[in-house]
Amino acid sequence: DVLWVIDKDKIVVMEKNTVIRETGSILRSDWLSLKFTGNFQHISEATSQKSSYFYLEDKEKQEIKEIKSGNISSYYNDSGKMTRVLVMQNSEIHLKSKTDHLLINSDKIEMFFDPESGKATRIDIPTPGQVENTGKTKFRITADAINAAYNKKGELSTCEGKGNTVFIIDEYNGNADRLFYDITRDLITMTGPNAKVINGESNTFNSTKFTVDTGQKILSSSDGVKSTILLKKKNVLFSEAPMFLNAKEFRILEKKKKFRYDTRVQLMQDDLWLNTDTLEITDVKEIEANGKVSLSFKNRGGEGSGGPGASDVAIKAENIVFNARERSIDITGNAAIKSGETLLKANHLVVRFSD
């Protein structure tokens, strides 16, 4: 409705119901300022305020850029090609390419572009926000600050969350102080005093540092872990109740459905306690403890949940295998079983349980 031209400063200002249309693009705003290079040849800077909307589509490249925000500022090189965009106030950005489909929300978002190809190279979000990708690599990251980068092909290559990071990536979700997702290498690194990961089986893991290989489906930590494991089916001595496992190191191979805990391993479930150097849990419902194994539990004779008839059983050995199919535990290496006043020692013992 209102147009101002300031020739000395090479600025054009448009107010009220401003709409600029070109092939494949549209810009709407209540206030728009365009700054030009000499002789009004190229735009060097554009600023829109108050309910700004920008849409740009390249059908040949299958790319879309859509921005909704209170303020949009874009910057251009000497040839009039866009290099940077800064959006502020209730900002929402939608970036779609052949491989990625990003939705970004925050009060401040800064994007950088390669002027020749027009492809994004970097995204900086210094305020609390969220990045969600529903394209080839699916994930959602919410954090106090987020940074993302693209490779030379214009594909999203990394995404990093800093401060109060909450994430859903592949079949993993949880929270951490910091998270770095290397999409190209299928690798997630999480750090923080209260970092937590929940895998697809609803098992929970707490540590100060995690790594996840999303390609091979391997979750691991060497900085100490406290976990809660839910067995799908009961094993000999083990019920379907939550199993609490602590260790210095652990590694889960999701594809092989195999858990491994190393160094100062502690397992607790109901009245069962197990200490060992290493522990492995496999999908065939077998649990194996190796190295200085100490096991204690209540012998209920297959009945109930403890009580006056239950007696304490303590077992020590170098190796114990809990075999769910055979309803037995196989004990080897300086094996000793103590129950009440009874003590049994041997190099190899097998204890079978009734159903």
Side-chain angles (χ1 to χ4, degrees):
D1 290 349
V2 180
L3 174 67
W4 302 81
V5 179
I6 307 172
D7 186 66
K8 180 181 69 172
D9 297 321
K10 304 295 186 290
I11 294 175
V12 174
V13 178
M14 290 166 272
E15 295 184 81
K16 298 180 181 179
N17 303 315
T18 300
V19 180
I20 298 178
R21 297 180 187 271
E22 287 188 78
T23 303
S25 71
I26 183 171
L27 173 63
R28 291 198 304 265
S29 178
D30 285 343
W31 187 93
L32 175 65
S33 170
L34 301 176
K35 187 174 182 179
F36 292 82
T37 57
N39 299 320
F40 290 88
Q41 187 175 8
H42 298 297
I43 296 175
S44 63
E45 184 178 332
T47 302
S48 62
Q49 298 179 3
K50 301 176 184 178
S51 303
S52 301
Y53 176 79
F54 173 75
Y55 181 88
L56 176 64
E57 182 176 5
D58 188 325
K59 292 184 178 180
E60 184 178 343
K61 295 180 180 179
Q62 299 178 40
E63 294 177 351
I64 292 174
K65 298 179 181 73
E66 185 179 28
I67 302 173
K68 301 173 185 177
S69 181
N71 297 289
I72 303 174
S73 297
S74 52
Y75 304 87
Y76 304 79
N77 64 11
D78 293 339
S79 301
K81 295 180 178 179
M82 187 169 61
T83 59
R84 183 165 66 99
V85 173
L86 175 64
V87 296
M88 301 180 69
Q89 294 183 4
N90 299 321
S91 304
E92 180 181 297
I93 297 177
H94 176 203
L95 300 175
K96 186 177 182 180
S97 67
K98 291 181 180 178
T99 57
D100 300 301
H101 192 169
L102 285 185
L103 181 62
I104 307 168
N105 292 278
S106 184
D107 268 341
K108 183 177 181 181
I109 305 168
E110 191 169 15
M111 296 181 296
F112 298 84
F113 298 89
D114 175 67
E116 299 306 318
S117 66
K119 295 182 181 296
T121 59
R122 194 174 89 235
I123 301 172
D124 293 339
I125 308 171
T127 54
Q130 177 176 286
V131 174
E132 182 174 10
N133 191 2
T134 57
K136 181 180 177 181
T137 304
K138 294 175 173 56
F139 68 86
R140 183 168 70 231
I141 295 174
T142 304
D144 290 344
I146 302 174
N147 301 101
Y150 289 79
N151 60 23
K152 292 181 179 180
K153 295 179 181 179
E155 300 168 335
L156 193 66
S157 59
T158 64
C159 190
E160 181 178 16
K162 302 175 183 177
N164 297 311
T165 305
V166 179
F167 66 91
I168 299 175
I169 301 175
D170 200 51
E171 60 188 57
Y172 304 93
N173 69 86
N175 56 267
D177 184 48
R178 296 187 67 145
L179 178 146
F180 185 81
Y181 185 18
D182 189 331
I183 299 165
T184 305
R185 296 171 59 203
D186 292 327
L187 187 65
I188 309 168
T189 303
M190 291 160 275
T191 58
N194 299 305
K196 180 172 74 173
V197 177
I198 302 172
N199 73 349
E201 302 294 333
S202 298
N203 299 313
T204 304
F205 307 90
N206 296 87
S207 181
T208 56
K209 184 178 181 179
F210 290 102
T211 57
V212 181
D213 184 327
T214 58
Q216 296 298 318
K217 300 288 188 290
I218 299 173
L219 170 65
S220 63
S221 175
S222 58
D223 285 45
V225 63
K226 294 182 178 180
S227 60
T228 303
I229 306 298
L230 299 173
L231 294 177
K232 290 184 178 180
K233 294 181 180 179
K234 292 189 288 186
N235 196 314
V236 57
L237 290 184
F238 296 102
S239 68
E240 293 175 323
M243 180 187 294
F244 302 98
L245 267 161
N246 303 333
K248 186 178 184 299
E249 302 176 22
F250 91 110
R251 184 180 177 88
I252 299 175
L253 289 77
E254 301 279 0
K255 287 184 177 180
K256 295 182 179 180
K257 299 188 181 299
K258 182 178 180 180
F259 294 65
R260 180 181 174 89
Y261 291 80
D262 286 284
T263 312
R264 299 192 296 276
V265 183
Q266 295 180 322
L267 184 155
M268 294 150 280
Q269 187 191 62
D270 299 326
D271 53 29
L272 183 148
W273 287 73
L274 174 69
N275 291 275
T276 182
D277 288 342
T278 67
L279 184 77
E280 286 192 357
I281 304 173
T282 65
D283 189 45
V284 294
K285 298 185 290 182
E286 186 175 274
I287 300 174
E288 181 173 359
N290 267 300
K292 299 178 182 177
V293 187
S294 176
L295 170 67
S296 65
F297 59 93
K298 292 282 188 182
N299 181 18
R300 309 183 185 94
E303 298 292 337
S305 57
S311 61
D312 293 323
V313 177
I315 300 175
K316 291 188 177 181
E318 289 301 315
N319 175 273
I320 297 180
V321 176
F322 301 82
N323 192 316
R325 291 176 180 174
E326 301 294 330
R327 294 289 300 165
S328 67
I329 56 174
D330 196 295
I331 310 161
T332 57
N334 297 316
I337 301 177
K338 189 176 189 303
S339 178
E341 299 299 321
T342 304
L343 176 62
L344 179 62
K345 290 185 176 182
N347 190 56
H348 182 203
L349 295 168
V350 177
V351 180
R352 301 189 186 279
F353 296 83
S354 59
D355 294 333

